[in-house]
Amino acid sequence: MGEDTDTRKINHSFLRDHNYVTEADIISTVEFNHTGELLATGDKGGRVVIFQREPESKNEPYSQGEYNVYSTFQSHEPEFDYLKSLEIEEKINKIKWLPQQNAAHSLLSTNDKTIKLWKITERDKRPEGYNLKDEEGKLKDLSTVTSLQVPVLKPMDLMVEVTPRRIFANGHTYHVNSISVNSDCETYMSADDLRINLWHLAITDRSFNIVDIKPANMEDLTEVITASEFHPHHCNLFVYSSSKGSLRLCDMRASALCDKHSKLYEEPEDPSNRSFFSEIISSVSDVKFSHSGRYMLTRDYLTVKVWDLNMETKPVETYQVHDYLRSKLCSLYENDCIFDKFECAWNGSDSVIMTGAYNNFFRMFDRNTKRDVTLEASRESSKPRAILKPRRVCVGGKRRKDDISVDSLDFTKKILHTAWHPTENIIAIAATNNLYIFQDKVNSEMH
Amino acid sequence: MLRGRRRMEGALDAQSLISISLRKIHSSRTQRGGIKLHKNLLVSYVLRNARQLYLSERYAELYRRPPPPHAPYPPPAAPLAGPPELGPLPPGAEEQPPGPMPRGCGLPEPPVLLPPPHDPAPLELPGAPPQPPSPCRDSAPGFYRSGGCAYPALPGHCSGRTTVLDLDTHVVTTVENGYLAPDCCSQCPCCCPPAPGTKRKYYPGPGEEDDEDEDEPAAGGGAAAGVGVAPCPKRARFEELSPEPPPDASNISNLISIFGSGFTGLVSRQQADSEHGQLCSKQALASLGAWTRAIVAF
């Protein structure tokens, strides 16, 4: 892989020894827009930072295609729910871009409770030559105005303005975990632990509840919704995943309330793998449709699975992300790592899937060649523009040079959020509070 | 049921897992952003799994053991908790439960009582701290901030006994000195012959129910509240009153058997192999309802 662009962190060198990270800077979501020109990140402090890819230029060949900060804004602030005595975190859980319909860009960002629609516009011209005001904006002395002039637009330094256009509030009692824009570009859905709501992008004071799995008696609660997504092409279809490891495909044409799924995707549990933590590790943390719409990708604690929409009984492919952790589940339960929610991603052609792991490792699986690779996102191990070196975790037995043993993995360094450019081999990796962007200049082989 | 289960590596056993899980639930109440329903649900699964293992181990030991001698205390006067299908309990059969000695005091506090979230009329208790108002059933989102309303089993009870009424199932449980005299495992008729004349179930009539309601604290939910890592003061009380200290294992039975109510969603997935196990696990599993209410009652 090619160059390494590290942004957002000012200077870590003196902080490295203390391993100190401002909690507010921890990146909580990463998302490319539909062209890949823009990359948005959200963090725990409620801020959104948008990066823009520089157009390739012949003058500076090394900076072609680099991502630089385009805009930063505060999306959500901490709130307090007085009725329930609950503080509402400002952490951005998800960002989803709307397809671009005019010169402006729009995105949805959400915290635990409120979804906001932001419009991002550029201003690179300003009017000059007003009749009544001078250049500083002060009113002119009318006696000096002798003729009328038409103000003209003159170029100015680019200014990016971000304004909140809609605020979709009070739709959710539980914590919102995902949002997804429909292919009709008019509606989107938001899912919390027990309910999914359908919103119209222009209407903020109401939404339709399309899934409600809250039992009449909360005692009977056995599963929650963990992620959801609209089908990329069929505006009536969406999928949601549950904490029990199942996926439900729902058709909004079937009924107004899609509590009854059209298809249920579930793999029976392997009884030989049963443990105290079976329920936890089978909980699906992310679900993504392939670009083709034919497949779904799910991530649970130890594996990623590819499901064919036409086959409900089991996934068509299962990849072990870090099976060496299976014997460590007790410790991971104690230190809460077992609850980490990893995301997964497809590449543009749906041939490679990617997901994060611990120790700032991330994994890629080539579905065609069945080869996989472990790479590391860290300053120390990769100089800018160096090729990323594949890493290996050894589980005892013969240990090669540069191998990492399971016991020396750093579980505080987790890569939960990754994103793949929609068409090119560019990936964005969020490693705690650092954002790494890797590009594949030459089509390097996986090994 | 547990044969397919692999023992986890090294140190952690069922009791430690239970205490760790309860600690997590407890600390989740104070974390920013409110209770995470998903995480607590997963923790409750671990709790259930650990408890199943613990109970089946306990049961297995009891089954091997000869019937215990008659207890030095008088049998509890008040009736005891349990689903109706279990037979009458022997008096004081389980004051001294057998089994391995305690592994340490990392275990949770004996039962803590919270009003259930659906309780429309929280009961007043003598000397209990005021309870925050419960949300109405209709509008209750399932989140109920109890912060501070948790209170330990009445310490000032004159006879050292605590009687709780579960308003959901109308089952009355008596806890002696914070220790439930008949452990749920002892209810299996195979290991302890039933003693005549001991009521196990209590169905209050319409008139009686009101009287009981006034006297007894509400039960159900929130066992996790008040759980901490502090050493167990209840254990000290045991030591005062009984010749040998009961193992900490008994505290777990207190916690889980003091609340009796259904939890059908989880129960349906787990069926015991043998009927003996079934008797025991049914009642044990049946009381998991309290856990979920603890989780969602915040």
Side-chain angles (χ1 to χ4, degrees):
Chain A
M1 286 262 161
E3 58 189 51
D4 166 343
T5 306
D6 184 301
T7 50
R8 289 191 60 163
K9 210 54 207 156
I10 300 149
N11 181 6
H12 248 182
S13 53
F14 70 96
L15 291 172
R16 203 173 290 160
D17 296 329
H18 304 276
N19 206 18
Y20 172 76
V21 168
T22 313
E23 173 126 353
D25 290 337
I26 296 175
I27 300 172
S28 50
T29 186
V30 185
E31 188 82 6
F32 280 99
N33 77 335
H34 294 271
T35 60
E37 184 211 349
L38 297 176
L39 174 68
T41 62
D43 64 21
K44 272 193 160 185
R47 283 168 309 205
V48 172
V49 180
I50 303 177
F51 300 86
Q52 185 187 43
R53 193 176 183 196
E54 295 303 320
E56 304 195 359
S57 78
K58 294 197 172 64
N59 300 336
E60 291 171 52
Y62 284 124
S63 74
Q64 58 185 332
E66 260 190 28
Y67 283 82
N68 294 319
V69 178
Y70 178 65
S71 172
T72 305
F73 61 96
Q74 186 76 31
S75 170
H76 287 73
E77 298 272 4
E79 285 172 49
F80 197 79
D81 182 337
Y82 293 97
L83 190 65
K84 296 182 207 140
S85 289
L86 282 181
E87 193 180 0
I88 300 169
E89 275 190 288
E90 67 277 28
K91 171 170 80 96
I92 308 295
N93 291 337
K94 279 288 180 316
I95 290 174
K96 284 282 147 66
W97 289 92
L98 268 54
Q100 192 178 8
Q101 287 171 333
N102 49 39
H105 296 276
S106 299
L107 61 78
L108 288 168
S109 65
T110 185
N111 68 348
D112 282 340
K113 297 286 183 195
T114 305
I115 305 123
K116 296 188 184 180
L117 175 66
W118 296 90
K119 190 157 120 175
I120 302 130
T121 48
E122 287 184 3
R123 190 196 291 267
D124 61 354
K125 299 187 248 305
R126 66 163 181 204
E128 279 177 30
Y130 282 106
N131 290 293
L132 298 176
K133 287 190 289 185
D134 64 17
E135 294 312 313
E136 282 90 50
K138 281 193 332 219
L139 282 173
K140 281 184 191 172
D141 183 0
L142 284 180
S143 58
T144 64
V145 178
T146 52
S147 62
L148 280 179
Q149 56 180 347
V150 177
V152 290
L153 291 173
K154 293 268 172 71
M156 58 177 261
D157 288 339
L158 179 67
M159 201 163 70
V160 179
E161 297 173 334
V162 182
T163 48
R165 301 293 294 184
R166 304 269 189 275
I167 306 214
F168 304 91
N170 302 319
H172 290 280
T173 305
Y174 300 95
H175 294 114
V176 174
N177 52 55
S178 47
I179 49 176
S180 178
V181 182
N182 200 339
S183 50
D184 66 7
C185 302
E186 283 187 359
T187 57
Y188 75 96
M189 69 171 170
S190 55
D192 65 28
D193 291 319
L194 297 178
R195 299 192 179 99
I196 301 182
N197 291 337
L198 182 71
W199 303 81
H200 192 283
L201 284 165
I203 299 171
T204 59
D205 61 352
R206 76 197 76 163
S207 66
F208 287 104
N209 174 244
I210 53 176
V211 174
D212 188 341
I213 64 168
K214 184 178 178 194
N217 191 355
M218 275 300 264
E219 250 179 50
D220 302 330
L221 181 72
T222 57
E223 63 183 328
V224 296
I225 298 169
T226 52
S228 64
E229 199 184 42
F230 268 118
H231 192 279
H233 311 309
H234 303 300
C235 55
N236 55 298
L237 289 179
F238 66 93
V239 68
Y240 71 90
S241 60
S242 85
S243 55
K244 274 192 169 172
S246 62
L247 298 173
R248 283 174 174 80
L249 187 72
C250 300
D251 188 336
M252 294 198 290
R253 297 172 303 188
S255 69
L257 189 61
C258 301
D259 277 359
K260 279 180 64 177
H261 53 262
S262 296
K263 281 185 188 265
L264 171 66
Y265 302 85
E266 205 169 27
E267 187 178 24
E269 190 192 350
D270 179 4
S272 65
N273 271 338
R274 186 105 185 94
S275 74
F276 287 117
F277 310 105
S278 295
E279 287 85 2
I280 301 187
I281 63 171
S282 62
S283 174
V284 174
S285 52
D286 193 19
V287 64
K288 293 264 169 45
F289 276 104
S290 64
H291 291 91
S292 62
R294 166 83 188 264
Y295 299 98
M296 297 179 293
L297 183 65
T298 60
R299 175 71 155 99
D300 52 56
Y301 191 63
L302 297 177
T303 68
V304 279
K305 296 178 180 169
V306 177
W307 299 78
D308 186 324
L309 250 66
N310 301 318
M311 186 157 84
E312 299 165 74
T313 50
K314 62 185 170 83
V316 289
E317 293 155 33
T318 301
Y319 301 95
Q320 301 293 332
V321 180
H322 38 204
D323 201 56
Y324 43 79
L325 296 184
R326 200 177 283 274
S327 54
K328 307 258 176 241
L329 294 179
C330 262
S331 333
L332 295 166
Y333 178 71
E334 276 185 278
N335 63 17
D336 272 0
C337 282
I338 206 173
F339 301 105
D340 287 334
K341 297 190 186 173
F342 292 94
E343 290 173 9
C344 51
W346 297 90
N347 74 337
S349 58
D350 298 337
S351 59
V352 182
I353 55 186
M354 168 172 73
T355 188
Y358 292 106
N359 209 72
N360 278 353
F361 287 167
F362 58 99
R363 303 262 279 140
M364 288 189 188
F365 303 91
D366 188 319
R367 296 177 61 212
N368 301 324
T369 64
K370 298 299 181 213
R371 307 239 287 246
D372 64 86
V373 68
T374 304
L375 300 168
E376 183 177 0
S378 79
R379 228 189 262 256
E380 287 85 8
S381 64
S382 45
K383 306 280 181 291
R385 292 180 199 91
I387 309 286
L388 275 182
K389 195 176 57 170
R391 308 307 309 267
R392 235 175 67 104
V393 178
C394 72
V395 279
K398 233 159 82 143
R399 189 175 163 204
R400 288 191 231 158
K401 176 179 174 280
D402 290 341
D403 277 5
I404 313 276
S405 81
V406 183
D407 298 309
S408 55
L409 289 174
D410 187 347
F411 290 97
T412 63
K413 296 195 182 144
K414 47 193 97 175
I415 293 184
L416 304 173
H417 312 288
T418 61
W420 206 308
H421 189 286
T423 49
E424 296 183 36
N425 273 351
I426 304 174
I427 56 175
I429 310 282
T432 316
N433 56 339
N434 287 316
L435 180 72
Y436 290 84
I437 300 177
F438 299 108
Q439 293 190 29
D440 187 19
K441 287 294 160 79
V442 180
N443 229 354
S444 55
E445 235 187 305
M446 304 266 185
H447 51 90
Chain B
M1 160 173 75
L2 292 163
R3 284 183 199 106
R5 221 177 271 268
R6 263 201 255 142
R7 287 299 180 92
M8 300 315 296
E9 42 150 12
L12 280 194
D13 59 350
Q15 293 184 20
S16 326
L17 264 184
I18 288 174
S19 68
I20 290 171
S21 305
L22 290 171
R23 218 176 295 151
K24 284 189 197 294
I25 294 178
H26 178 60
S27 64
S28 76
R29 298 175 62 206
T30 51
Q31 77 189 32
R32 240 188 125 215
I35 305 288
K36 305 267 188 291
L37 185 66
H38 182 201
K39 181 177 175 185
N40 282 289
L41 182 70
L42 296 177
V43 171
S44 75
Y45 274 111
V46 175
L47 259 176
R48 179 198 64 158
N49 294 339
R51 189 186 64 174
Q52 283 173 353
L53 177 65
Y54 161 72
L55 287 175
S56 66
E57 282 174 347
R58 286 286 312 280
Y59 174 74
E61 284 157 24
L62 284 169
Y63 188 55
R64 284 192 298 267
R65 192 173 85 96
H70 207 276
Y73 325 82
L80 302 149
E85 60 265 20
L86 295 176
L89 276 173
E94 265 303 302
E95 277 85 357
Q96 312 296 335
M101 288 318 289
R103 286 173 181 80
C105 217
L107 286 169
E109 291 273 335
V112 181
L113 309 174
L114 275 185
H118 314 300
D119 180 8
L123 302 176
E124 281 311 301
L125 297 163
Q131 310 167 18
S134 307
C136 301
R137 186 187 281 268
D138 306 336
S139 58
F143 280 168
Y144 169 68
R145 199 70 176 163
S146 59
C149 94
Y151 46 91
L154 298 179
H157 209 288
C158 49
S159 64
R161 258 194 252 143
T162 307
T163 311
V164 296
L165 168 69
D166 184 332
L167 290 176
D168 277 2
T169 59
H170 300 295
V171 170
V172 177
T173 311
T174 295
V175 179
E176 288 242 84
N177 307 316
Y179 170 45
L180 181 63
D183 199 359
C184 75
C185 287
S186 70
Q187 289 149 7
C188 306
C190 58
C191 52
C192 307
T198 307
K199 262 201 298 189
R200 272 215 63 252
K201 53 193 181 185
Y202 178 75
Y203 292 109
E208 283 175 282
E209 189 176 0
D210 297 334
D211 296 337
E212 286 293 337
D213 286 358
E214 277 152 33
D215 294 339
E216 273 127 20
V227 163
V229 295
C232 323
K234 291 279 186 186
R235 186 152 178 252
R237 252 194 266 171
F238 297 154
E239 281 157 4
E240 286 168 42
L241 297 158
S242 51
E244 53 180 275
D248 289 338
S250 62
N251 288 350
I252 297 189
S253 341
N254 295 343
L255 277 165
I256 60 185
S257 50
I258 192 165
F259 309 112
S261 63
F263 196 94
T264 50
L266 287 188
V267 168
S268 59
R269 252 194 73 164
Q270 296 287 332
Q271 297 300 329
D273 291 341
S274 66
E275 25 170 336
H276 300 316
Q278 191 167 31
L279 266 172
C280 181
S281 57
K282 237 193 194 174
Q283 200 251 350
L285 291 171
S287 52
L288 187 59
W291 294 122
T292 310
R293 272 192 296 201
I295 292 160
V296 301
F298 298 109

